[in-house]
């Protein structure tokens, strides 16, 4: 890829955590769009494996998840010839810049982060400092690569905002060191909700297997989970205020087929939820079939995978070190 310090195209950056197998939410809300973005932008994609340990992880499982994340990103269409794809832990500059930025971030602003409040409630036995300073590491992840744009879901807006605040504060003291990234809302995308509790988003760390579709789920498992998806008693396929389950299924079906909500309502007029769930399940199975074929190929060829992520790390280190050196010089370190 072209990544250098004077890019022709606008640069976009996004990271995904290796905290479990990606869900249909990660796919429709993020990764599928990243695939499309590769033509328009110079893209940087990272596997946020450092972030994963804010929650306690079993080492063997974590290792497997990181491999899976790398294989899955390639399987969903990310191309190492076009984009920079790497693992965060392979680029030491992330941790180094995060330390420096920690000293330019206020306790008060970190205390206001809703994700910290949510996760510290959920993992009350392990409210570690990493969980608290997570947004600073995320700011380092972003600012090292000087992206113009960062694709964000609604849940991530607050984190991009704090990264922008830290960058502006630093630039205010030392001059134009960091590019201030803008949020990018992709033209197509969905917020996918839990199939069991459709008021909350589908999450890879959800302990209820029926709540999430994993990108590696078999066709049988996908169909079974959609059949069990929570709906309502109205029995009409249409968007409605008190129909979070059906709204979610419409959103998923729409995102995959390109049909509008009205077209979907017309298609299922006079039919029950059973038929609709079957169609949504089948659409998802077909969408994921080619992804799963590629995934099986990548995950069984560790040598090829290793070659790709090591090359990615080298390129990322080059870009990241340049930014870090500039920051260190500005702060007053001896290089
Ligand atoms: N349900 C979702 N619908 C749409 N987009 C989603 N994303 C996550 N869940 C949904 C988007 O996926 C990208 C990568 O997310 P992440 O793995 O870095 O963190 P996350 O948002 O915390 O994802 P999870 O699945 O909920 O992970 P866990 O369970 O580990 O916390 C982001 O762009 C996100 O918006």
């Amino acid at each position: 890829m072209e990544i250098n310090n004077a890019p022709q195209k606008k640069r976009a950056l996004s990271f995904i955590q290796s905290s479990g197998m990606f869900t249909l939410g990660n796919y429709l809300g993020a990764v599928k769009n990243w695939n499309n973005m590769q033509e328009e932008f110079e893209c940087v994609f990272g596997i946020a494996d450092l972030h994963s340990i804010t929650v306690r992880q079993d080492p063997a499982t974590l290792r497997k998840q990181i491999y899976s994340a790398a294989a899955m990103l390639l399987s969903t269409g990310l191309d190492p010839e076009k984009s920079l794809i790497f693992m965060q832990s392979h680029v030491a500059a992330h941790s180094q810049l995060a330390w420096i930025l920690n000293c330019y971030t206020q306790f008060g602003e970190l205390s206001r982060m809703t994700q910290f409040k949510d996760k510290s409630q959920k993992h009350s036995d392990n409210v570690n400092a990493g969980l608290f300073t997570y947004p600073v590491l995320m700011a380092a992840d972003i600012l090292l690569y000087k992206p113009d744009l960062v694709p964000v879901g609604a849940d991530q807006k607050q984190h991009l905002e704090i990264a922008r605040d830290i960058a502006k504060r630093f630039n205010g003291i030392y001059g134009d060191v960091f590019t201030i990234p803008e949020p990018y809302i992709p033209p197509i995308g969905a917020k996918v909700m839990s199939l069991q509790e459709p008021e909350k988003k589908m999450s890879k760390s959800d302990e209820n297997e029926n709540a999430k579709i994993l990108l590696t789920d078999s066709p049988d498992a996908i169909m079974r989970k959609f059949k069990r998806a929570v709906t309502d008693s109205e029995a009409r396929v249409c968007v409605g205020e008190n129909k979070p389950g059906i709204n979610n299924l419409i959103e998923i079906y729409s995102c995959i087929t390109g049909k509008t909500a009205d077209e979907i309502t017309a298609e299922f007029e006079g039919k029950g939820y059973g038929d609709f769930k079957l169609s949504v399940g089948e659409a998802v199975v077909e969408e994921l079939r080619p992804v799963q074929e590629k995934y099986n190929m990548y995950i069984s060829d560790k040598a090829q995978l290793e070659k790709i992520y090591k090359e990615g790390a080298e390129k990322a280190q080059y870009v990241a070190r340049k930014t870090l050196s500039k920051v260190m010089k500005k702060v007053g370190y001896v290089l």
Side-chain angles (χ1 to χ4, degrees):
M1 70 166 304
E2 290 295 312
I3 195 128
N4 54 46
N5 272 6
Q8 301 300 308
K9 293 177 180 175
K10 280 195 168 176
R11 188 178 289 175
L13 169 144
S14 215
F15 277 63
I16 187 157
Q17 285 198 66
S18 50
S19 44
M21 174 46 68
F22 299 166
T23 67
L24 187 65
N26 296 127
Y27 177 71
L28 294 180
V31 181
K32 192 177 178 193
N33 283 314
W34 298 357
N35 187 1
N36 300 330
M37 282 165 47
Q38 290 182 113
E39 304 307 325
E40 196 177 344
F41 304 115
E42 186 188 63
C43 291
V44 178
F45 298 116
I47 296 169
D49 51 357
L50 294 177
H51 284 287
S52 306
I53 65 164
T54 52
V55 174
R56 192 73 69 235
Q57 301 280 350
D58 164 63
T61 310
L62 178 63
R63 197 168 300 122
K64 210 168 135 205
Q65 283 168 359
I66 297 171
Y67 269 122
S68 299
M72 195 46 95
L73 286 184
L74 298 169
S75 309
T76 50
L78 299 196
D79 180 352
E81 297 296 320
K82 292 182 191 156
S83 304
L84 184 49
I85 304 166
F86 64 99
M87 296 173 189
Q88 182 191 27
S89 63
H90 290 181
V91 184
H94 288 250
S95 311
Q96 291 170 284
L97 182 61
W99 171 254
I100 295 175
L101 297 183
N102 264 319
C103 303
Y104 295 81
T105 308
Q106 297 304 306
F107 182 88
E109 56 190 341
L110 289 176
S111 312
R112 288 192 289 275
M113 304 303 287
T114 50
Q115 185 169 304
F116 172 70
K117 290 183 199 160
D118 293 348
K119 288 213 169 171
S120 51
Q121 259 173 19
K122 208 165 145 196
H123 305 278
S124 53
D125 55 336
N126 183 23
V127 185
N128 58 73
L131 198 60
F132 188 63
T133 58
Y134 176 112
V136 185
L137 179 57
M138 188 166 157
D141 298 337
I142 297 171
L143 299 175
L144 277 174
Y145 300 91
K146 302 191 168 176
D148 304 288
L149 304 167
V150 176
V152 278
D155 53 328
Q156 295 284 352
K157 269 190 195 141
Q158 208 185 13
H159 284 149
L160 180 60
E161 212 37 62
I162 195 170
R164 284 165 52 89
D165 289 346
I166 297 169
K168 283 181 199 161
R169 187 172 303 143
F170 195 92
N171 284 357
I173 305 170
Y174 300 105
D176 273 349
V177 178
F178 295 124
T179 303
I180 310 296
E182 296 294 329
Y184 173 70
I185 313 287
I188 317 163
K191 180 163 186 201
V192 180
M193 311 307 281
S194 156
L195 297 184
Q196 291 299 313
E197 295 169 79
E199 299 79 16
K200 64 177 215 192
K201 75 164 188 161
M202 185 180 284
S203 262
K204 50 175 122 61
S205 58
D206 197 321
E207 279 162 15
N208 183 349
E209 288 301 321
N210 286 323
K212 57 190 180 184
I213 302 288
L214 302 180
L215 298 191
T216 46
D217 274 347
S218 67
D220 279 354
I222 294 173
M223 296 307 292
R224 193 179 61 243
K225 289 179 186 182
F226 276 111
K227 273 186 202 155
R228 289 185 186 164
V230 168
T231 51
D232 54 74
S233 54
E234 195 195 349
R236 182 159 185 262
V237 177
C238 60
V239 174
E241 236 174 64
N242 297 314
K243 295 164 74 74
I246 286 296
N247 292 347
N248 187 33
L249 297 183
I250 290 177
E251 175 110 353
I252 293 170
Y253 194 60
S254 163
C255 196
I256 291 178
T257 61
K259 293 175 186 169
T260 64
D262 287 346
E263 285 166 347
I264 295 169
T265 298
E267 184 180 342
F268 291 94
E269 200 62 70
K271 294 185 185 163
Y273 285 165
D275 287 331
F276 179 48
K277 286 176 170 183
L278 216 64
S279 296
V280 181
E282 282 165 359
V284 171
V285 168
E286 288 316 313
E287 175 79 14
L288 296 185
R289 194 184 298 281
V291 173
Q292 295 187 347
E293 280 168 9
K294 283 195 203 145
Y295 176 79
N296 292 335
M297 184 196 78
Y298 279 115
I299 205 70
S300 56
D301 187 353
K302 291 259 164 70
Q304 190 192 2
L305 203 56
E306 189 176 322
K307 183 171 176 291
I308 293 173
Y309 69 66
K310 285 202 164 154
E311 281 175 9
E314 263 177 47
K315 290 181 198 162
Q317 280 160 6
Y318 175 78
V319 182
R321 273 199 208 120
K322 271 196 157 172
T323 309
L324 181 67
S325 297
K326 192 166 178 190
V327 169
M328 290 178 72
K329 249 192 246 168
K330 292 282 186 186
V331 171
Y333 287 109
V334 177
L335 297 188

